[in-house]
Amino acid sequence: MKLLAIDPGLGGITIRARSGPVRDQLLQRVDPAARKIHPAMGDEALLGGLDLSATLSAGHLVQNAGLLAEPGPLILTMAERAPVRLAAHLAITLDRHAGHTLIALDEGAEPDEAVDPKISERLAFHVDLSDVSLRDVSPLSPGIAGQPPTAPSHQRCADDKRHASGMTGGGFTPTRGRGLPCVSPETVEQITQIAAQLGIDSLRAPLFALRAAKAHAMLNNRTDITADDIEIACALTLAHRATRIPAPEEPEAPPPEQSKEPSAENPLKIPDELLLDAVRALLPDNLLDRLAAQKARAGRGSGSGAARKGNRRGRPLPSRPGRLSDGARIDLIGTLRAAAPWQTIRRNTTGRGGLHIRPGDFRIKRYEEKSDRLLIFTVDASGSAALARLAEAKGAVELLLAQAYARRDHVALVSFRGTEAELMLPPTRSLVQTKRRLAGLPGGGGTPLAAGLRTALDQAMQAGHKGLTPTIGILTDGRANIALDGSANRKQAATDAQQMARIVRAQGIDAIVIDTGNRPEPVLRNLAQTLDAAYLPLPRADAARLSQSVATALGD
């Protein structure tokens, strides 16, 4: 928080934690004047707009200033629920470097619930308090274990702001007679290379690291950047952005001893391995698993049904101009706001007093609701491994159905074997009916993958007409050998499967390809690419792992 007070150009911090005393301890360090933003807050409250009552009373336009008009700290509660519209407004505000800082409170309960990338990309720091207990947090009032008491929050904020008095939009200016903290070109290049080794493709990350190093030096009343400043800055700004773990390098011979004080002739040089070690220390243990889950669910949406806009029910959206027809509901306040600026002109034109409302002023209420989702399991019931594969599918379907009421999901089951595919279970949320249908599911025979895709597509189209959002989950080892015409032609079977995949993609239907073979099958990977679907190689997966992988890919 002190670094943000010194340099607002660092953007802010993401705090991942559920509401509780641990998070409250950290938030006590935030400026008490910070303004809170809710994900459901409208554009008018953020950006300002017409003050309707004051305008009607005064007879001339009176504008309200929004929360984003004045620079200062902002607190975004439930940041993981921020809609795209709000994320865009905050991103534009932070890009202006007008003195705003944002504390994004990420209260996500699952790994896939996270702050919109447009926001997190512009915040230098990230803190995860998920596994932190209250005993691990240093108290803010008189300390324990010999720690000194900490100053009250308002006093700390005032002290921190004194450091910020020398900050301009692009960097530091001398304060109290001290010079600028400076970084050599070699250090800039080194930090950029470290970011590249961590798989960070955004230039904001090394820029944040440089600003954080300068702010840390200024916090400690230094005019020169030290190795500690750079190591701390890299750890705070790069660790949570890493997309790969760099392999440790072989130790090299120590370089010749240099002067401890950096200068133009002798710039500060830190071994790359020291900076990487500082970042590795803060890398999450499940980094690779988390990145794999993000890649698997890329493009799969938020895990719920598609958003549908209407004028009757759902979450309120900003009103839009429209006509009073087809059961549309008028937004009275919005209509009055649209008409207010023209009242003087209309009165002078018509010579009549009162309120003048024209058809072009009408604003129609809009709502957004999420449709129910249908997960269509398309199961390969052919070959010698059919019994094991079907057992996995049965268990996975039952596990998914057990959570269907919470997620409002429906489940259908399509099996393909021999020369054709069959709808074994129509869309349902009934666990009893599902178990009864799954018990008699047969297996064995050829692999008509294209027929399975066609039957799943038919079900998906029907579901779409009923207002559901379908997703096709294909469970197979990929060895298609039966064409759509029922002939045993492996080459034609592969061609037919690709053709059906292109049709599924053209209809805009999401899909997941689950490879149950003993080793990943290139044919299935190509099929997933054609479908624009997530590809999950899961050899010998049990029902629990299968269900969990599907839920992760869907973004649940």
Side-chain angles (χ1 to χ4, degrees):
M1 297 300 179
K2 292 183 178 180
L3 298 183
L4 289 176
I6 293 174
D7 184 4
L10 290 168
I13 181 174
T14 300
I15 302 175
R16 184 171 179 86
R18 305 303 296 273
S19 179
V22 174
R23 195 182 74 176
D24 293 344
Q25 287 275 15
L26 183 58
L27 290 179
Q28 289 183 34
R29 301 179 182 272
V30 179
D31 191 338
R35 292 155 292 173
K36 288 189 176 182
I37 298 176
H38 190 273
M41 188 170 288
D43 292 350
E44 185 177 345
L46 289 172
L47 308 177
L50 181 69
D51 188 331
L52 180 60
S53 59
T55 297
L56 294 177
S57 300
H60 60 81
L61 291 180
V62 179
Q63 297 285 342
N64 274 331
L67 288 176
L68 302 182
E70 294 293 331
L74 303 168
I75 299 178
L76 175 59
T77 59
M78 294 186 289
E80 77 285 353
R81 301 186 183 183
V84 175
R85 168 190 54 79
L86 175 59
H89 287 322
L90 292 176
I92 293 173
T93 300
L94 293 174
D95 285 343
R96 290 173 181 164
H97 297 291
H100 295 89
T101 55
L102 178 65
I103 294 92
L105 303 182
D106 182 357
E107 302 178 17
E110 301 297 334
D112 59 283
E113 296 176 342
V115 179
D116 191 298
K118 289 188 289 294
I119 298 177
S120 58
E121 167 72 9
R122 290 164 172 81
L123 307 183
F125 308 119
H126 181 279
V127 175
D128 192 342
L129 303 179
S130 303
D131 299 325
V132 178
S133 63
L134 187 58
R135 71 181 63 180
D136 300 324
V137 181
S138 298
L140 298 181
S141 57
I144 59 174
Q147 296 178 352
T150 308
S153 59
H154 64 274
Q155 179 181 340
R156 288 195 308 274
C157 292
D159 294 340
D160 294 342
K161 287 180 179 178
R162 283 199 293 269
H163 289 284
S165 60
M167 174 66 64
T168 62
F172 294 91
T173 56
T175 57
R176 296 191 297 275
R178 293 183 177 272
L180 283 172
C182 57
V183 180
S184 67
E186 292 80 8
T187 301
V188 174
E189 180 180 359
Q190 184 182 26
I191 292 177
T192 306
Q193 292 176 349
I194 293 296
Q197 293 183 51
L198 293 168
I200 302 172
D201 57 3
S202 171
L203 286 179
R204 282 194 178 92
L207 289 175
F208 279 145
L210 292 172
R211 299 191 75 127
K214 293 181 180 180
H216 191 267
M218 197 170 185
L219 179 65
N220 291 276
N221 296 318
R222 291 194 296 266
T223 57
D224 295 321
I225 302 295
T226 66
D228 288 342
D229 296 327
I230 296 176
E231 287 182 23
I232 292 174
C234 287
L236 292 178
T237 60
L238 302 183
H240 62 281
R241 290 180 164 86
T243 61
R244 63 170 175 258
I245 301 177
E249 297 181 357
E250 294 294 332
E252 300 179 357
E257 185 175 355
Q258 299 178 349
S259 172
K260 295 184 179 179
E261 295 295 332
S263 63
E265 297 78 13
N266 183 31
L268 177 65
K269 178 63 177 177
I270 308 172
D272 288 356
E273 192 60 27
L274 288 181
L275 292 182
L276 285 175
D277 285 343
V279 176
R280 285 194 194 100
L282 294 183
L283 288 177
D285 296 335
N286 61 341
L287 174 65
L288 298 180
D289 293 340
R290 191 169 63 186
L291 293 174
Q294 292 173 355
K295 183 178 180 181
R297 68 173 179 270
R300 303 274 74 83
S302 64
S304 61
R308 300 185 300 181
K309 294 179 175 61
N311 56 16
R312 295 183 180 276
R313 63 181 184 180
R315 181 177 180 179
L317 294 175
S319 59
R320 289 291 183 266
R323 296 180 299 176
L324 296 180
S325 60
D326 300 329
R329 300 170 60 184
I330 186 172
D331 181 356
L332 181 59
I333 301 300
T335 300
L336 292 176
R337 291 184 187 280
W342 308 100
Q343 295 305 301
T344 302
I345 296 176
R346 292 173 182 176
R347 291 191 188 109
N348 294 337
T349 301
T350 62
R352 293 184 291 106
L355 189 62
H356 294 257
I357 304 294
R358 304 284 176 83
D361 299 329
F362 289 149
R363 294 297 184 267
I364 303 302
K365 289 184 177 181
R366 299 189 310 150
Y367 301 91
E368 181 182 78
E369 60 178 335
K370 299 291 186 180
S371 63
D372 290 357
R373 183 176 59 189
L374 170 64
L375 179 58
I376 305 172
F377 265 103
T378 307
V379 182
D380 182 356
S382 64
S384 58
L387 294 179
R389 201 159 41 237
L390 288 178
E392 297 159 5
K394 293 176 183 179
V397 170
E398 292 184 7
L399 289 175
L400 288 170
L401 272 175
Q403 306 169 10
Y405 286 101
R407 293 201 312 259
R408 301 200 307 173
D409 286 354
H410 295 71
V411 175
L413 179 63
V414 173
S415 70
F416 56 93
R417 68 185 186 96
T419 60
E420 59 185 14
E422 180 182 3
L423 176 63
M424 299 298 301
L425 178 68
T428 182
R429 295 174 65 185
S430 171
L431 187 58
V432 175
Q433 180 186 8
T434 302
K435 290 182 177 180
R436 187 182 303 118
R437 296 290 183 91
L438 291 177
L441 184 60
T447 308
L449 177 57
L453 286 172
R454 182 172 59 184
T455 303
L457 174 61
D458 292 341
Q459 291 299 311
M461 297 293 290
Q462 294 178 24
H465 295 155
K466 296 177 181 178
L468 299 175
T469 301
T471 298
I472 299 176
I474 305 166
L475 183 69
T476 180
D477 58 10
R479 298 180 180 87
N481 52 24
I482 303 297
L484 275 176
D485 59 7
S487 62
N489 186 330
R490 188 178 295 273
K491 183 177 180 181
Q492 185 61 39
T495 301
D496 290 346
Q498 288 288 335
Q499 179 63 27
M500 291 305 306
R502 284 190 284 270
I503 296 175
V504 171
R505 179 175 180 176
Q507 295 296 327
I509 299 172
D510 286 343
I512 306 168
V513 178
I514 305 167
D515 188 349
T516 59
N518 292 330
R519 60 185 61 185
E521 182 68 41
V523 174
L524 273 187
R525 189 182 296 273
N526 294 336
L527 183 70
Q529 292 177 353
T530 303
L531 287 164
D532 191 23
Y535 172 71
L536 303 177
L538 295 173
R540 298 177 297 277
D542 57 16
R545 184 184 174 195
L546 178 59
S547 174
Q548 181 180 4
S549 300
V550 172
T552 300
L554 290 172
D556 288 342

